[in-house]
Structures are given as structure tokens and as C-alpha cells.
Amino acid sequence: MLSERLKNITPSVTVGISSKVKDMKASGIDVIGLSIGEPDFNVPEKAKEYGKRSLDENKTKYDLVGGILELREEICKKLLKENKVNYTPDQIVLSSGAKNSITNVLLALTNPGDEVLLPLPYWVSYSEIIKVTNAVPVEIQTKKENNFKLQKEELLAAITDKTKLIVITNPSNPTGSVYTKEELEEIASVCLEKGIYIIADEIYEKITFTENFTSVAALNEEIKDITITINGFAKCAAMTGLRLGYTASNSEIANAMCSIQSHIVSHPSLTAQYIGLGALVECEDEMQHMVDTYKKRCELITNRLDKIENIGYVKPSGAFYIFVDLSKVKENYEYTDSFSIKFCEDFLNAEKVAVVPGKSFGIDEYIRISYACDEESFLEGVNRLERYISKFI
Ligand code: PMP
Ligand code: GLU
């Protein structure tokens, strides 16, 4: 009865675990949620004011498909100032979240059967969105010793005559790794030479703990032309539930996405757009405070993990996740199909701590911990992790 495209599609693991945590909490169980990547901050007050004012002014009618002009202009200013890349408002397409933007790109660029390259480990939803749009996800193995950052040779080996796109997530979800300019240049040059478009998912771009973040589109004009940058307000302005994302791309691709969006959603919620505008215009300090807090938390959690023997982790330079290596635990753990799925289920039942299995990002001997929550919670979560794994090593 259901469509063919639903075959092999699994519901989001990150969203699923966090719903389970909500249910457990609602039934009175004291559970520590370190699973979902959702800021514990509130939307900055000054940004909310923009939304409230827009409602008072009855800005509630249909508007431009690509998003309100003021916001697209402000995004262009932000991209020029912070990312050193020049776009015009017609090249920005607002959407109902970065997920929606990624779907727009795939619908605009892929034909059924086209291959989309996904360096492992990758965020859970890419492969499923690719399958929904009838393209084909192709995983690329990367190496632990490179912090799971894609190397030129690995990319070259994965390219076929069906390759249409590659997804580069920078900073990475789940590892928090950040590519250097040189590393991006190596990858992007191959894409340029081989005619492969780049989805540069930079939704965590503001949350970086290094001095120099490079946007793929800033590398040069030719690379900019084949790059579709994904960004949004969920992570940097703590606007997860308001659902607001955007793309920056060349005009042809932007027009194609607007054409699709005009039929499917028209445009994202106007109120969300005004709140996003407020965040960009008025809330730089509040957003910087969030980043400073994540950086401090990152130091705290890595210092704590350093004290636990027999585990490892990828040292993060951005986002708010730690990808923890439990290969030593796996050696002595009883499981049938997937170690990390079984481990996360058992850990949740035994210690009441929710984390995400590495398997959902394509690497089974890892788990992902989100530290987008208060210090006390993630430090207690790690205490319980130490206690739980001590039984298996
Ligand atoms: N890209 C990455 C790498 C993510 O981690 C997420 C999760 N929020 C998204 C895109 C989707 O963001 P949004 O909530 O704006 O749809
Ligand atoms: N992207 C976040 C995460 O990885 C939020 C949940 C989701 O949309 O996947 O946890």
C-alpha cells in the first residue's frame, strides 16, 4: 500500500531517542538526556520581540517564497562579514529548517539513481532524505587517525559516473571535527574537476572553538558556484522548534528550489522569519555567550573523559557533541546485531542516561554524547558511563 520510496527508510534515531526520554520523564523517571542536539538556551529575548511585533503588525499573510527580503538581506550581510562570501538576496532561500533545505537541494539537483556521497560518520537524516528523494546514498569510509575527516584519495575512490553530490558537514555532527582551509581545498578541487556539487552543511558554523573557520563557498568563485551552503537558526540562536533554515547557492539552483518550495510549503512561517531577523540584527552578544558556554562545557567534558581508562574520543573543535570510542567495551559486550544500539538501550535502562548509538551515524563502536545541557547533567551522565563500562573492561 505504501510507496516504494519508503522501503529501507528508518525514522530518525535522534528524534526517536529524545521522544523516549520525554516519555520517561513524563512518567516520573529521572533520566539524563544527552541524546538530542538541542540547545538548552532559550531564544534570545530581543529576537522574540521581533516575532511579537510582527504579529501585532499583522504580518501574517502569504509572503515571498524565498523568504522575507529583510531577512535575506541580513543573511547576505552575515555571510559577507563572517564567512567572507558574497551573495545577493535572490540566492538565499529560507525554509522550514535545515532538513527542509537539504530536501530542497536534493529535489532540485538529483535524478532517480544519482549517487550522493556521505563521508562516515554522518548525521542520521542525510541518508534517509536522499532515499526519500529517490537518489542513492553512498557511504565513504574515513579514518579514525584523521579524526574521521575525508581525505582526497578516499573521495577519488568513491566517485563513479553516477556521482552527483557530496555532503560535507563542517563542523561535523557527530564528531565536532572542523576542516581546515587546506583540507577543504583538497576536497573541493576534486569536486570541481569531476563536476560534483557540494552540499556544505555549516549549521554548526558559529559554534567553533578554533580561530579560523572556512566556509567551502569562500574558497574561490568556481567552488562557490558548485556549492550549496546549508545553514539555519536552530543551533546558533537556539530556535530548534521554530523551524528556520536557509541555503545560499547560485541563482539557478536557488530559483529551482523556490519553484519546488512554491508548491510544497510556499515559505517558512513568517513569525519564525521575523524572530530569525531579530537574532541576526540584535542578538550577536547572546549568540556569542552560547558559543562561549559550549566551549567551556567542551573543556569540562573532555577533561572528565580523559580520566576514564579504556575509552577514547574524537577531540571536538566545534558543535556540541563528543563521539566516544567504546571499542574496548565492545570486545567484552554481549550483543547480536549492533553493539552501540544494544549498549545505549542497556545504559538507558540501567543508569537512566540517554546517548545516541554510533551505529546511527554509521560507526558501531562509538556513542555520541550531546553536551548541549547543563554541566551538572552531562558530568553526572559521564560518571554513570564510567560506572557502567567498568563492568565490561
Ligand atoms: N544538519 C545537521 C548537521 C544537523 O545536526 C541538523 C540537526 N538539527 C540539521 C541539519 C537539521 O537542522 P534543522 O533543525 O534546522 O532542520
Ligand atoms: N540534529 C540534531 C541531532 O543530531 C537534532 C535532532 C535531529 O534533527 O536529528 O541530535
Side-chain angles (χ1 to χ4, degrees):
M1 177 185 84
L2 298 177
S3 78
E4 281 290 310
R5 73 163 60 76
L6 274 167
K7 276 191 184 154
N8 308 319
I9 289 175
T10 41
S12 168
V13 177
T14 43
V15 175
I17 295 175
S18 108
S19 307
K20 185 165 180 192
V21 170
K22 282 197 181 103
D23 287 347
M24 288 173 84
K25 282 185 178 164
S27 57
I29 303 170
D30 185 15
V31 50
I32 301 178
L34 307 179
S35 59
I36 196 151
E38 171 152 52
D40 55 329
F41 294 98
N42 289 323
V43 175
E45 288 304 321
K46 287 184 223 153
K48 285 188 203 163
E49 287 306 322
Y50 272 62
K52 291 179 196 167
R53 204 176 319 129
S54 75
L55 287 173
D56 289 341
E57 292 169 1
N58 292 310
K59 290 180 171 159
T60 52
K61 308 288 184 206
Y62 288 136
D63 209 294
L64 299 176
V65 169
I68 56 171
L69 191 57
E70 302 98 294
L71 179 53
R72 283 184 288 140
E73 282 171 348
E74 217 42 58
I75 289 172
C76 290
K77 282 191 211 157
K78 174 248 173 308
L79 291 172
L80 187 60
K81 184 171 158 225
E82 295 177 9
N83 308 81
K84 314 277 177 291
V85 56
N86 199 354
Y87 284 101
T88 49
D90 64 300
Q91 296 175 318
I92 309 299
V93 181
L94 271 303
S95 73
S96 301
K99 283 181 182 174
N100 190 178
S101 293
I102 295 163
T103 312
N104 283 346
V105 178
L106 289 160
L107 289 172
L109 283 179
T110 59
N111 290 312
D114 280 351
E115 293 177 356
V116 182
L117 302 178
L118 294 175
L120 281 157
Y122 58 83
W123 171 55
V124 292
S125 288
Y126 296 135
S127 50
E128 310 311 281
I129 303 175
I130 293 166
K131 287 186 265 176
V132 167
T133 58
N134 284 338
V136 179
V138 175
E139 295 180 345
I140 312 184
Q141 293 294 336
T142 58
K143 295 199 178 72
K144 201 187 218 170
E145 58 264 34
N146 298 323
N147 281 339
F148 295 112
K149 289 196 266 183
L150 178 68
Q151 306 297 299
K152 183 180 172 179
E153 302 68 37
E154 294 161 345
L155 169 58
L156 280 166
I159 295 171
T160 71
D161 55 3
K162 293 209 176 98
T163 310
K164 185 70 184 262
L165 269 161
I166 181 167
V167 181
I168 301 292
T169 315
N170 189 33
S172 156
N173 174 5
T175 65
S177 293
V178 174
Y179 283 89
T180 64
K181 182 172 184 227
E182 293 68 31
E183 289 166 342
L184 289 176
E185 263 163 359
E186 285 229 312
I187 296 169
S189 311
V190 171
C191 294
L192 196 58
E193 193 189 310
K194 303 279 180 189
I196 298 167
Y197 287 94
I198 303 171
I199 293 185
D201 186 341
E202 299 182 357
I203 194 162
Y204 296 98
E205 141 263 0
K206 262 188 182 290
I207 310 168
T208 42
F209 317 139
T210 49
E211 280 299 298
N212 303 312
F213 173 81
T214 304
S215 282
V216 175
L219 291 174
N220 67 43
E221 280 301 312
E222 282 181 307
I223 291 172
K224 180 183 160 204
D225 196 49
I226 57 162
T227 300
I228 305 94
T229 303
I230 306 285
N231 208 329
F233 293 81
K235 314 295 170 172
C236 66
M239 281 173 52
T240 43
L242 294 175
R243 313 304 303 130
L244 189 62
Y246 64 89
T247 48
S249 68
N250 72 33
S251 302
E252 189 186 6
I253 298 173
N255 286 340
M257 290 190 289
C258 276
S259 170
I260 292 165
Q261 187 156 282
S262 72
H263 296 293
I264 299 180
V265 285
S266 291
H267 55 72
S269 148
L270 271 194
T271 317
Q273 293 190 58
Y274 280 104
I275 299 173
L277 179 65
L280 283 186
V281 177
E282 303 262 5
C283 304
E284 195 47 51
D285 290 351
E286 287 85 342
M287 291 195 281
Q288 188 55 47
H289 167 69
M290 295 180 201
V291 176
D292 294 342
T293 308
Y294 295 132
K295 186 174 180 191
K296 199 175 129 224
R297 288 175 181 173
C298 182
E299 278 163 22
L300 279 172
I301 195 166
T302 50
N303 287 341
R304 178 67 185 86
L305 288 168
D306 286 340
K307 297 202 175 73
I308 305 180
E309 278 176 31
N310 294 312
I311 64 162
Y313 60 86
V314 182
K315 191 156 175 43
S317 308
F320 34 57
Y321 306 111
I322 305 265
F323 206 41
V324 179
D325 182 354
L326 296 183
S327 353
K328 294 246 168 67
V329 178
K330 187 179 174 193
E331 283 167 20
N332 301 317
Y333 209 83
E334 270 191 37
Y335 63 94
T336 34
D337 294 329
S338 156
F339 157 72
S340 62
I341 292 177
K342 178 79 168 56
F343 179 90
C344 290
E345 278 169 9
D346 295 347
F347 184 46
L348 179 59
N349 290 333
E351 295 285 356
K352 308 288 176 282
V353 180
V355 293
V356 185
K359 172 88 174 161
S360 28
F361 305 96
I363 307 210
D364 198 28
E365 62 269 22
Y366 281 70
I367 57 167
R368 189 194 76 177
I369 299 178
S370 163
Y371 55 87
C373 60
D374 62 279
E375 285 174 33
E376 207 188 314
S377 298
F378 65 72
L379 290 176
E380 176 56 19
V382 176
N383 288 343
R384 294 187 197 179
L385 178 69
E386 182 175 34
R387 181 168 70 200
Y388 186 69
I389 62 173
S390 67
K391 299 175 196 153
F392 307 99
I393 34 188

mmCIF file of all heavy atoms in Angstrom, residues 76 79-80 83-88 91 217 221 224:
data_model
loop_
_atom_site.group_PDB
_atom_site.id
_atom_site.type_symbol
_atom_site.label_atom_id
_atom_site.label_comp_id
_atom_site.label_asym_id
_atom_site.label_seq_id
_atom_site.Cartn_x
_atom_site.Cartn_y
_atom_site.Cartn_z
ATOM 1 N N CYS A 76 22.712 37.862 3.818
ATOM 2 C CA CYS A 76 23.810 38.218 2.895
ATOM 3 C C CYS A 76 24.893 39.002 3.634
ATOM 4 O O CYS A 76 26.088 38.752 3.453
ATOM 5 C CB CYS A 76 23.303 39.037 1.711
ATOM 6 S SG CYS A 76 22.303 38.055 0.591
ATOM 7 N N LEU A 79 26.810 36.602 5.795
ATOM 8 C CA LEU A 79 27.696 35.718 5.031
ATOM 9 C C LEU A 79 28.948 36.468 4.560
ATOM 10 O O LEU A 79 30.044 35.914 4.534
ATOM 11 C CB LEU A 79 26.952 35.101 3.838
ATOM 12 C CG LEU A 79 25.868 34.072 4.203
ATOM 13 C CD1 LEU A 79 25.066 33.664 2.967
ATOM 14 C CD2 LEU A 79 26.491 32.825 4.847
ATOM 15 N N LEU A 80 28.758 37.724 4.205
ATOM 16 C CA LEU A 80 29.904 38.509 3.747
ATOM 17 C C LEU A 80 30.849 38.812 4.912
ATOM 18 O O LEU A 80 32.058 38.597 4.828
ATOM 19 C CB LEU A 80 29.410 39.812 3.101
ATOM 20 C CG LEU A 80 30.482 40.663 2.434
ATOM 21 C CD1 LEU A 80 31.176 39.887 1.309
ATOM 22 C CD2 LEU A 80 29.866 41.948 1.854
ATOM 23 N N ASN A 83 31.627 35.005 6.881
ATOM 24 C CA ASN A 83 32.077 33.864 6.082
ATOM 25 C C ASN A 83 32.848 34.275 4.839
ATOM 26 O O ASN A 83 33.293 33.424 4.074
ATOM 27 C CB ASN A 83 30.876 32.987 5.712
ATOM 28 C CG ASN A 83 30.052 32.594 6.913
ATOM 29 O OD1 ASN A 83 29.218 33.360 7.386
ATOM 30 N ND2 ASN A 83 30.309 31.430 7.463
ATOM 31 N N LYS A 84 32.979 35.575 4.626
ATOM 32 C CA LYS A 84 33.766 36.126 3.502
ATOM 33 C C LYS A 84 33.268 35.610 2.156
ATOM 34 O O LYS A 84 34.038 35.217 1.287
ATOM 35 C CB LYS A 84 35.262 35.775 3.640
ATOM 36 C CG LYS A 84 35.849 36.006 5.031
ATOM 37 C CD LYS A 84 36.252 37.455 5.218
ATOM 38 C CE LYS A 84 36.763 37.750 6.605
ATOM 39 N NZ LYS A 84 35.807 37.703 7.695
ATOM 40 N N VAL A 85 31.945 35.570 2.021
ATOM 41 C CA VAL A 85 31.386 35.093 0.752
ATOM 42 C C VAL A 85 30.205 35.995 0.372
ATOM 43 O O VAL A 85 29.388 36.346 1.213
ATOM 44 C CB VAL A 85 31.058 33.571 0.845
ATOM 45 C CG1 VAL A 85 30.146 33.258 1.986
ATOM 46 C CG2 VAL A 85 30.505 33.044 -0.431
ATOM 47 N N ASN A 86 30.205 36.361 -0.896
ATOM 48 C CA ASN A 86 29.293 37.400 -1.353
ATOM 49 C C ASN A 86 28.079 36.798 -2.074
ATOM 50 O O ASN A 86 28.242 36.158 -3.116
ATOM 51 C CB ASN A 86 30.090 38.289 -2.327
ATOM 52 C CG ASN A 86 29.439 39.631 -2.512
ATOM 53 O OD1 ASN A 86 28.341 39.873 -2.017
ATOM 54 N ND2 ASN A 86 30.100 40.498 -3.244
ATOM 55 N N TYR A 87 26.902 36.973 -1.513
ATOM 56 C CA TYR A 87 25.669 36.519 -2.172
ATOM 57 C C TYR A 87 24.695 37.673 -2.277
ATOM 58 O O TYR A 87 24.755 38.631 -1.504
ATOM 59 C CB TYR A 87 25.000 35.401 -1.346
ATOM 60 C CG TYR A 87 25.668 34.054 -1.472
ATOM 61 C CD1 TYR A 87 26.513 33.588 -0.483
ATOM 62 C CD2 TYR A 87 25.450 33.249 -2.593
ATOM 63 C CE1 TYR A 87 27.131 32.350 -0.595
ATOM 64 C CE2 TYR A 87 26.067 32.016 -2.723
ATOM 65 C CZ TYR A 87 26.905 31.567 -1.722
ATOM 66 O OH TYR A 87 27.504 30.350 -1.850
ATOM 67 N N THR A 88 23.764 37.559 -3.221
ATOM 68 C CA THR A 88 22.670 38.537 -3.324
ATOM 69 C C THR A 88 21.400 37.877 -2.761
ATOM 70 O O THR A 88 21.301 36.641 -2.744
ATOM 71 C CB THR A 88 22.458 38.940 -4.798
ATOM 72 O OG1 THR A 88 22.381 37.746 -5.590
ATOM 73 C CG2 THR A 88 23.597 39.800 -5.301
ATOM 74 N N GLN A 91 19.726 34.778 -4.036
ATOM 75 C CA GLN A 91 20.447 33.494 -3.953
ATOM 76 C C GLN A 91 20.253 32.808 -2.592
ATOM 77 O O GLN A 91 20.809 31.745 -2.341
ATOM 78 C CB GLN A 91 21.941 33.727 -4.219
ATOM 79 C CG GLN A 91 22.176 34.242 -5.644
ATOM 80 C CD GLN A 91 23.612 34.589 -5.898
ATOM 81 O OE1 GLN A 91 24.283 35.190 -5.051
ATOM 82 N NE2 GLN A 91 24.114 34.221 -7.064
ATOM 83 N N ALA A 217 32.204 27.700 0.360
ATOM 84 C CA ALA A 217 31.911 28.649 -0.728
ATOM 85 C C ALA A 217 32.884 29.819 -0.771
ATOM 86 O O ALA A 217 32.952 30.541 -1.774
ATOM 87 C CB ALA A 217 30.487 29.169 -0.585
ATOM 88 N N GLU A 221 35.628 31.467 -6.496
ATOM 89 C CA GLU A 221 34.353 31.682 -7.201
ATOM 90 C C GLU A 221 33.845 30.411 -7.877
ATOM 91 O O GLU A 221 32.647 30.140 -7.897
ATOM 92 C CB GLU A 221 34.489 32.802 -8.245
ATOM 93 C CG GLU A 221 34.407 34.202 -7.657
ATOM 94 C CD GLU A 221 33.090 34.491 -6.922
ATOM 95 O OE1 GLU A 221 32.011 34.207 -7.472
ATOM 96 O OE2 GLU A 221 33.157 34.989 -5.781
ATOM 97 N N LYS A 224 32.520 28.181 -5.233
ATOM 98 C CA LYS A 224 31.251 28.764 -4.745
ATOM 99 C C LYS A 224 30.089 28.361 -5.675
ATOM 100 O O LYS A 224 28.986 28.046 -5.220
ATOM 101 C CB LYS A 224 31.396 30.288 -4.692
ATOM 102 C CG LYS A 224 30.162 31.012 -4.214
ATOM 103 C CD LYS A 224 30.356 32.516 -4.270
ATOM 104 C CE LYS A 224 29.020 33.226 -4.262
ATOM 105 N NZ LYS A 224 29.052 34.557 -4.838
#
